[in-house]
Amino acid sequence: MRLDKLMEQENFGSRRKVKALIRSKQVRVDGHIIMDESLNVDAALQEIFVGERQILQKTHVYYMLNKPQGVVTAVRDVKHQTVIDLIEKKDQRAGLYPIGRLDRDTEGLLLLTDNGQLGYQLLQPQKKVLKRYEVIVNERLTKEDCVAFAQGIVFSDGKKCLAAKLQILSAEEHQSQAYLDITEGKFHQVKKMFLAVGKKVIYLKRLSMGPVVLDPMLSSGEYRSLNPEELQALLPYFTIHKKETSVKHEI
Ligand code: URA
């Protein structure tokens, strides 16, 4: 949530008053004086002080879902069950949405939050957030495929992918299994990358996104809140746009 919005909610006064407090260097986030009222903050993850008063309100929810096949990555859908339908009513919040998209037939890790700015940051191409997939294809994977992925796969429409790491786990004539690490999120990216080397994906599961790894204890369709370690690991993605100025607070 934006810092100024949070401060308004916490009764620090009107938007103008809040802005004045920020400009007068009275607001610190994790020890930094903040001059940008639009900074994305979460009092559950960061120490936010206005003068001597700490804002302790927990503002957002963060879930990891083990998405099953057959469920669409959308907030609502007229035909199919959505990932939001898998979240119990008591855990739903206004603005809860999935960060990024998995195809209907893809399973595995999907993060959901009502912190729109965090989702936005994780999906920024320049952040190059690493995603690991487990993949099964219908042909034998080879060392040449690993080289092609490392050099950057080119789609049939000429679009070039960033270098990706293909790690073959097993390779047989009609079926191979591998891990694939990619740092971008083009539409149907993994399936199209394999098609470019003449292979069809027959099973796809996301295992990790950035620092968050799918909990092996979560059965398909289950979800849980991110734990404090996972939330800490996501903190670098709370970074701010260029116009922010933050100054280390000297105590
Ligand atoms: N790449 C795909 O092709 N599909 C997904 O669901 C995710 C990545």
Side-chain angles (χ1 to χ4, degrees):
M1 176 184 290
R2 282 175 63 117
L3 177 61
D4 50 5
K5 212 165 156 209
L6 175 66
M7 286 175 64
E8 266 182 270
Q9 268 187 16
E10 290 289 298
N11 298 321
F12 283 96
S14 63
R15 185 69 63 104
R16 233 174 87 210
K17 176 103 188 292
V18 160
K19 204 167 174 171
L21 280 167
I22 294 171
R23 292 286 139 84
S24 63
K25 302 190 176 176
Q26 295 197 54
V27 181
R28 303 189 311 278
V29 176
D30 287 341
H32 290 73
I33 293 175
I34 299 300
M35 303 295 280
D36 177 8
E37 65 271 15
S38 71
L39 180 66
N40 182 27
V41 291
D42 187 339
L45 303 177
Q46 293 161 306
E47 271 187 7
I48 306 172
F49 277 92
V50 180
E52 295 309 311
R53 185 184 143 194
Q54 184 172 8
I55 298 180
L56 291 168
Q57 185 204 15
K58 188 170 173 170
T59 53
H60 289 299
V61 293
Y62 305 88
Y63 302 128
M64 75 156 73
L65 167 72
N66 186 357
K67 177 195 169 297
Q69 292 182 343
V71 173
V72 291
T73 309
V75 172
R76 61 186 75 81
D77 191 278
V78 281
K79 270 222 299 277
H80 303 286
Q81 191 179 31
T82 72
V83 290
I84 300 293
D85 295 331
L86 297 175
I87 308 297
E88 286 180 48
K89 283 279 171 287
K90 70 173 175 47
D91 293 331
Q92 293 202 7
R93 296 284 182 283
L96 183 67
Y97 80 110
I99 303 178
R101 188 182 169 280
L102 292 177
D103 297 336
R104 192 146 71 91
D105 58 357
T106 301
E107 59 185 53
L109 177 67
L110 190 70
L111 298 177
L112 297 110
T113 184
D114 59 345
N115 182 343
Q117 278 183 288
L118 173 72
Y120 175 78
Q121 294 290 340
L122 276 170
L123 298 175
Q124 284 299 293
Q126 66 270 23
K127 295 268 174 180
K128 296 197 172 67
V129 173
L130 191 130
K131 278 132 323 207
R132 169 164 285 194
Y133 291 88
E134 179 190 340
V135 192
I136 299 179
V137 297
N138 67 341
E139 300 254 347
R140 186 185 295 282
L141 286 169
T142 63
K143 267 195 238 148
E144 289 71 36
D145 293 327
C146 296
V147 173
F149 276 77
Q151 286 175 343
I153 293 287
V154 182
F155 291 159
S156 50
D157 62 3
K159 270 195 202 124
K160 185 159 185 200
C161 300
L162 295 174
K165 188 172 163 203
L166 179 65
Q167 197 183 327
I168 300 171
L169 302 172
S170 66
E172 284 164 29
E173 199 185 339
H174 296 299
Q175 187 160 310
S176 303
Q177 191 180 14
Y179 289 142
L180 178 67
D181 294 341
I182 58 173
T183 54
E184 52 190 342
K186 299 189 201 308
F187 192 53
H188 297 318
Q189 170 137 7
V190 175
K191 291 174 184 166
K192 283 162 92 177
M193 287 172 99
F194 281 97
L195 271 186
V197 293
K199 276 112 197 170
K200 184 172 161 47
V201 170
I202 53 177
Y203 173 80
L204 187 56
K205 179 175 189 175
R206 183 153 67 194
L207 300 177
S208 67
M209 181 166 186
V212 182
V213 177
L214 180 65
D215 185 340
M217 300 303 283
L218 279 184
S219 304
S220 183
E222 285 185 346
Y223 69 96
R224 67 158 170 81
S225 291
L226 295 188
N227 63 34
E229 290 75 33
E230 289 159 342
L231 288 172
Q232 277 301 318
L234 279 176
L235 265 184
Y237 298 96
F238 279 65
T239 44
I240 323 104
H241 10 123
K242 282 191 208 109
K243 73 179 177 127
E244 174 222 0
T245 4
S246 79
V247 187
K248 186 77 194 151
H249 180 62
E250 303 286 340
I251 301 176

